[in-house]
Amino acid sequence: MAGFAGCPGAVWADTETSTVESWNQAEGVVEARKGAGVFVRDFKPIRRRGIERLAHAQWGAGQPIWSADVAGRELVVDSVEVTEEDASAVIAGVLGLAEGARVCVRRRRYTLDGKPVLLATSYLAADLVTGTPITQPDTGPGGLYARLEELGRKPVRFREEIRSRMPSGDEAERLALPSGVPVVLIARTAFDAQGAAVEVNDMVLDSAAYVLEYGFEA
């Protein structure tokens, strides 16, 4: 063994991966490169501040919600696809729509320091957002929540459901995940003052790229 997990750039060239190396690889600490050994992933995790990022003081002031997480690092949306589709039964049920009703679907990929870290897909009722900047690739300052406020449907409450699993082949490819690294799934629903759901956002995170932080008052 020619290195250890605490040293960025340390390399293992052993033909058999040790138990410790296997654990580190599964946790995303190291990655295997075919024919080259095992390398420590040299990437500082993102501290995702689940409460602060969704505050009206953030997006209401024209700031993207993710700016609360990256502390001056360069987070880039390198892929945006906006379509109108039939709502699935699950999405229709959450948004209070008839099954098959039309929804605006926004699919994005985010990269940080040149590395893909997040896939996000938002669903909103087409009847609500058609003809607004929400249907454009760039939704403007403050993002789609600021645009919903302009439509009189300001989000005042959010719910996030979190779980983890192994990635699909497409997710692993789009996030450039090393073998064995799981993803974190976050399903967020935004609610307006009347308690109606106005957006569902399904997110897929590289588990090794994030620390999920939630601060609560006692």
Side-chain angles (χ1 to χ4, degrees), residues 20-170:
V20 173
E21 291 163 12
S22 297
W23 288 343
N24 283 336
Q25 189 173 339
E27 292 175 1
V29 175
V30 300
E31 60 180 298
R33 300 177 188 173
K34 188 174 181 180
V38 181
F39 292 74
V40 173
R41 297 181 75 188
D42 189 12
F43 181 83
K44 180 182 178 182
I46 305 160
R47 186 165 292 274
R48 184 182 186 275
R49 295 176 169 85
I51 306 301
E52 294 90 338
R53 69 199 313 273
L54 293 174
H56 181 258
Q58 180 76 12
W59 51 265
Q63 298 298 314
I65 63 174
W66 43 259
S67 65
D69 306 331
V70 296
R73 298 164 74 188
E74 185 178 10
L75 185 70
V76 175
V77 184
D78 75 340
S79 173
V80 182
E81 178 188 15
V82 185
T83 62
E84 188 175 300
E85 304 174 13
D86 293 339
S88 68
V90 171
I91 295 299
V94 175
L95 291 176
L97 305 173
E99 185 174 348
R102 301 294 281 176
V103 288
C104 172
V105 183
R106 298 181 51 85
R107 296 182 175 90
R108 293 91 71 202
R109 184 176 77 165
Y110 295 80
T111 65
L112 183 64
D113 301 337
K115 184 203 177 304
V117 293
L118 168 67
L119 306 176
T121 304
S122 291
Y123 303 88
L124 305 98
D127 286 348
L128 173 62
V129 303
T130 295
T132 75
I134 290 173
T135 63
Q136 301 302 310
D138 184 353
T139 55
L144 68 85
Y145 294 148
R147 304 292 79 78
L148 286 170
E149 182 174 22
E150 294 169 355
L151 293 172
R153 303 296 296 275
K154 169 187 171 183
V156 299
R157 181 172 66 87
F158 297 91
R159 178 182 67 214
E160 290 192 341
E161 301 170 82
I162 303 173
R163 61 191 180 95
S164 181
R165 60 163 168 76
M166 298 306 295
S168 68
D170 179 66

Side-chain angles (χ1 to χ4, degrees), residues 186-199:
I186 301 180
R188 181 172 68 232
T189 307
F191 299 89
D192 67 10
Q194 286 69 50
V198 291
E199 182 230 16

